[in-house]
Coordinates of all heavy atoms in Angstrom, one line a residue:
I1 N 3.6 -54.7 -54.9 CA 2.6 -53.7 -54.7 C 1.3 -54.1 -55.4 O 0.2 -54.0 -54.8 CB 3.1 -52.4 -55.3 CG1 4.2 -51.8 -54.4 CG2 1.9 -51.4 -55.4 CD1 4.8 -50.5 -54.9
V2 N 1.4 -54.7 -56.6 CA 0.2 -55.0 -57.4 C -0.6 -56.1 -56.7 O -1.8 -56.3 -57.0 CB 0.5 -55.3 -58.9 CG1 1.1 -56.7 -59.0 CG2 -0.6 -55.0 -59.8
R3 N 0.1 -56.9 -55.9 CA -0.6 -58.0 -55.2 C -1.0 -57.6 -53.8 O -1.6 -58.5 -53.1 CB 0.3 -59.2 -55.1 CG 0.5 -59.9 -56.5 CD 1.6 -61.0 -56.5 NE 1.7 -61.7 -57.8 CZ 2.4 -61.2 -58.8 NH1 3.1 -60.1 -58.7 NH2 2.4 -61.9 -59.9
N4 N -0.8 -56.4 -53.4 CA -1.1 -56.0 -52.0 C -2.5 -55.3 -52.1 O -2.7 -54.3 -52.7 CB -0.1 -54.9 -51.6 CG -0.2 -54.6 -50.1 OD1 -1.3 -54.5 -49.6 ND2 0.9 -54.4 -49.4
S5 N -3.4 -55.9 -51.3 CA -4.8 -55.4 -51.4 C -5.0 -54.1 -50.7 O -6.1 -53.4 -50.9 CB -5.7 -56.4 -50.6 OG -5.3 -56.6 -49.3
T6 N -4.0 -53.5 -50.0 CA -4.2 -52.2 -49.4 C -3.8 -51.1 -50.4 O -4.0 -49.9 -50.1 CB -3.3 -52.1 -48.1 OG1 -1.9 -52.1 -48.5 CG2 -3.7 -53.1 -47.1
F7 N -3.3 -51.5 -51.6 CA -3.0 -50.5 -52.7 C -4.1 -50.6 -53.7 O -4.6 -51.6 -54.0 CB -1.6 -50.9 -53.4 CG -0.4 -50.5 -52.6 CD1 0.0 -51.2 -51.5 CD2 0.4 -49.4 -53.0 CE1 1.2 -50.9 -50.9 CE2 1.5 -49.1 -52.4 CZ 1.9 -49.8 -51.3
A8 N -4.4 -49.4 -54.2 CA -5.2 -49.3 -55.5 C -4.2 -48.9 -56.6 O -3.4 -48.0 -56.4 CB -6.3 -48.2 -55.3
G9 N -4.3 -49.6 -57.7 CA -3.4 -49.3 -58.8 C -4.2 -49.0 -60.1 O -5.3 -49.6 -60.3
F10 N -3.6 -48.2 -61.0 CA -4.2 -47.9 -62.2 C -3.2 -48.0 -63.3 O -2.0 -47.6 -63.2 CB -4.8 -46.4 -62.2 CG -5.8 -46.2 -61.2 CD1 -5.5 -45.8 -59.9 CD2 -7.2 -46.5 -61.5 CE1 -6.5 -45.7 -58.9 CE2 -8.2 -46.3 -60.5 CZ -7.8 -45.9 -59.3
V11 N -3.6 -48.6 -64.5 CA -2.7 -48.8 -65.6 C -3.3 -47.9 -66.8 O -4.5 -48.0 -67.1 CB -2.7 -50.2 -66.1 CG1 -1.8 -50.4 -67.3 CG2 -2.2 -51.1 -64.9
A12 N -2.4 -47.1 -67.3 CA -2.8 -46.3 -68.5 C -2.5 -47.1 -69.8 O -1.4 -47.7 -69.9 CB -2.0 -45.0 -68.6
T13 N -3.4 -47.2 -70.7 CA -3.2 -47.9 -71.9 C -3.5 -47.1 -73.1 O -4.4 -46.2 -73.1 CB -4.1 -49.2 -72.0 OG1 -5.5 -48.8 -72.1 CG2 -3.9 -50.1 -70.7
L14 N -2.8 -47.3 -74.2 CA -3.0 -46.7 -75.5 C -3.1 -47.9 -76.5 O -2.1 -48.7 -76.6 CB -1.9 -45.8 -75.9 CG -1.8 -44.4 -75.2 CD1 -0.6 -43.7 -75.5 CD2 -3.1 -43.6 -75.5
D15 N -4.2 -48.0 -77.2 CA -4.4 -49.1 -78.2 C -4.2 -50.4 -77.5 O -3.7 -51.4 -78.1 CB -3.4 -49.0 -79.4 CG -3.7 -47.7 -80.2 OD1 -4.9 -47.3 -80.3 OD2 -2.7 -47.2 -80.8
G16 N -4.6 -50.5 -76.2 CA -4.6 -51.8 -75.5 C -3.2 -52.1 -74.9 O -3.0 -53.1 -74.2
K17 N -2.2 -51.2 -75.1 CA -0.9 -51.5 -74.6 C -0.6 -50.6 -73.4 O -0.9 -49.4 -73.3 CB 0.2 -51.1 -75.7 CG 1.6 -51.3 -75.2 CD 2.6 -50.8 -76.3 CE 4.0 -50.9 -75.9 NZ 4.9 -50.4 -76.9
A18 N -0.1 -51.2 -72.3 CA 0.2 -50.5 -71.1 C 1.4 -49.5 -71.4 O 2.4 -49.9 -71.9 CB 0.7 -51.5 -70.0
V19 N 1.1 -48.2 -70.9 CA 2.1 -47.2 -71.1 C 2.5 -46.5 -69.8 O 3.3 -45.5 -69.8 CB 1.7 -46.2 -72.2 CG1 1.6 -46.9 -73.6 CG2 0.4 -45.5 -71.8
G20 N 1.9 -46.9 -68.7 CA 2.2 -46.3 -67.5 C 1.3 -46.8 -66.4 O 0.4 -47.5 -66.6
S21 N 1.7 -46.4 -65.1 CA 0.9 -46.9 -64.0 C 1.1 -45.9 -62.8 O 2.1 -45.2 -62.8 CB 1.2 -48.3 -63.6 OG 2.6 -48.4 -63.2
N22 N 0.2 -46.0 -61.9 CA 0.3 -45.3 -60.6 C -0.4 -46.1 -59.5 O -1.4 -46.8 -59.8 CB -0.3 -43.9 -60.7 CG 0.1 -43.0 -59.6 OD1 1.0 -43.3 -58.9 ND2 -0.5 -41.8 -59.5
F23 N 0.0 -45.9 -58.3 CA -0.5 -46.7 -57.2 C -0.7 -45.7 -56.0 O -0.1 -44.7 -55.9 CB 0.4 -47.8 -56.7 CG 0.6 -48.8 -57.8 CD1 1.6 -48.7 -58.7 CD2 -0.2 -49.9 -57.9 CE1 1.8 -49.6 -59.7 CE2 0.0 -50.9 -58.9 CZ 1.0 -50.7 -59.8
I24 N -1.7 -46.1 -55.1 CA -1.9 -45.3 -53.9 C -2.1 -46.3 -52.8 O -3.0 -47.3 -52.9 CB -3.0 -44.3 -54.0 CG1 -3.2 -43.5 -52.7 CG2 -4.3 -44.9 -54.5 CD1 -4.0 -42.3 -52.9
A25 N -1.4 -46.2 -51.7 CA -1.6 -47.1 -50.5 C -2.6 -46.5 -49.5 O -2.5 -45.4 -49.1 CB -0.2 -47.3 -49.8
F26 N -3.5 -47.4 -49.1 CA -4.5 -47.1 -48.1 C -4.2 -47.9 -46.8 O -5.2 -48.3 -46.1 CB -5.9 -47.2 -48.6 CG -6.2 -46.3 -49.7 CD1 -6.3 -46.7 -51.0 CD2 -6.5 -44.9 -49.4 CE1 -6.6 -45.8 -52.0 CE2 -6.8 -44.1 -50.5 CZ -6.9 -44.5 -51.8
T27 N -3.0 -48.2 -46.5 CA -2.6 -49.1 -45.4 C -3.0 -48.5 -44.1 O -3.5 -49.2 -43.2 CB -1.1 -49.4 -45.4 OG1 -0.7 -49.7 -46.8 CG2 -0.8 -50.5 -44.5
D28 N -2.8 -47.2 -43.9 CA -3.1 -46.5 -42.7 C -3.9 -45.2 -43.0 O -4.2 -45.0 -44.2 CB -1.8 -46.2 -41.9 CG -1.3 -47.4 -41.2 OD1 -2.0 -48.1 -40.5 OD2 -0.1 -47.7 -41.4
P29 N -4.3 -44.4 -42.1 CA -5.2 -43.3 -42.4 C -4.6 -42.2 -43.4 O -5.4 -41.6 -44.0 CB -5.4 -42.6 -41.0 CG -5.2 -43.7 -40.0 CD -4.1 -44.6 -40.6
V30 N -3.3 -42.1 -43.5 CA -2.7 -41.2 -44.5 C -2.3 -42.0 -45.7 O -1.5 -43.0 -45.6 CB -1.5 -40.5 -43.9 CG1 -0.8 -39.6 -44.9 CG2 -1.9 -39.6 -42.7
A31 N -2.8 -41.7 -46.9 CA -2.5 -42.4 -48.1 C -1.2 -42.0 -48.7 O -0.8 -40.8 -48.6 CB -3.6 -42.2 -49.1
G32 N -0.5 -42.9 -49.3 CA 0.8 -42.6 -50.0 C 0.8 -43.0 -51.4 O 0.3 -44.1 -51.8
V33 N 1.2 -42.1 -52.3 CA 1.2 -42.3 -53.7 C 2.5 -42.8 -54.3 O 3.6 -42.3 -53.9 CB 0.8 -41.0 -54.4 CG1 0.9 -41.1 -56.0 CG2 -0.6 -40.5 -54.0
G34 N 2.4 -43.7 -55.2 CA 3.6 -44.1 -56.0 C 3.8 -45.6 -56.0 O 3.2 -46.3 -55.2
P35 N 4.7 -46.1 -56.8 CA 5.4 -45.3 -57.8 C 4.5 -44.9 -59.0 O 3.7 -45.8 -59.4 CB 6.6 -46.2 -58.3 CG 6.1 -47.6 -58.1 CD 5.2 -47.5 -56.9
I36 N 4.7 -43.7 -59.6 CA 4.0 -43.4 -60.8 C 5.1 -43.4 -61.9 O 6.2 -42.8 -61.8 CB 3.4 -42.0 -60.7 CG1 2.7 -41.6 -62.1 CG2 4.3 -40.9 -60.2 CD1 1.9 -40.4 -62.0
T37 N 4.8 -44.1 -63.0 CA 5.8 -44.2 -64.1 C 5.0 -44.1 -65.4 O 3.9 -44.6 -65.5 CB 6.6 -45.5 -64.0 OG1 5.8 -46.6 -64.0 CG2 7.5 -45.5 -62.8
V38 N 5.7 -43.5 -66.4 CA 5.2 -43.4 -67.8 C 6.3 -43.9 -68.7 O 7.4 -43.4 -68.6 CB 4.7 -42.0 -68.1 CG1 4.2 -41.9 -69.5 CG2 3.6 -41.6 -67.1
D39 N 5.9 -44.7 -69.7 CA 6.9 -45.2 -70.7 C 7.5 -43.9 -71.3 O 6.8 -43.0 -71.7 CB 6.1 -45.9 -71.8 CG 7.1 -46.7 -72.7 OD1 7.9 -46.0 -73.4 OD2 7.0 -47.9 -72.8
P40 N 8.9 -43.9 -71.4 CA 9.6 -42.7 -72.0 C 9.1 -42.3 -73.3 O 9.1 -41.1 -73.7 CB 11.0 -43.2 -72.0 CG 11.1 -44.2 -70.9 CD 9.8 -44.9 -70.9
S41 N 8.6 -43.3 -74.1 CA 8.1 -43.0 -75.5 C 6.7 -42.3 -75.5 O 6.3 -41.8 -76.5 CB 8.0 -44.2 -76.3 OG 7.0 -45.1 -75.8
C42 N 6.1 -42.3 -74.3 CA 4.7 -41.7 -74.2 C 4.6 -40.5 -73.3 O 3.5 -40.0 -73.0 CB 3.7 -42.8 -73.8 SG 3.5 -44.1 -74.9
Q43 N 5.8 -40.0 -72.8 CA 5.8 -38.9 -71.9 C 5.4 -37.6 -72.7 O 5.7 -37.5 -73.8 CB 7.1 -38.8 -71.2 CG 7.4 -39.9 -70.3 CD 8.7 -39.9 -69.6 OE1 9.5 -39.0 -69.8 NE2 9.0 -41.0 -68.8
G44 N 4.8 -36.7 -71.9 CA 4.3 -35.4 -72.5 C 3.0 -35.5 -73.3 O 2.7 -34.6 -74.0

């Protein structure tokens, strides 16, 4: 997914450390979201 140019991806960081990410696909006219994940230690 992260190497696919039709996806836009975002990384959440705390103190420079990645703690989660989310992606959205723009392959076709309807966009699809995911996977969205958050490090269990940073949830909530």
Side-chain angles (χ1 to χ4, degrees):
I1 290 176
V2 80
R3 290 174 175 82
N4 190 323
S5 61
T6 67
F7 281 76
F10 298 90
V11 178
T13 67
L14 287 172
D15 295 328
K17 177 184 176 182
V19 295
S21 63
N22 196 12
F23 298 88
I24 182 167
F26 295 104
T27 314
D28 284 310
V30 177
V33 175
I36 177 171
T37 55
V38 177
D39 190 302
S41 67
C42 295
Q43 292 175 5

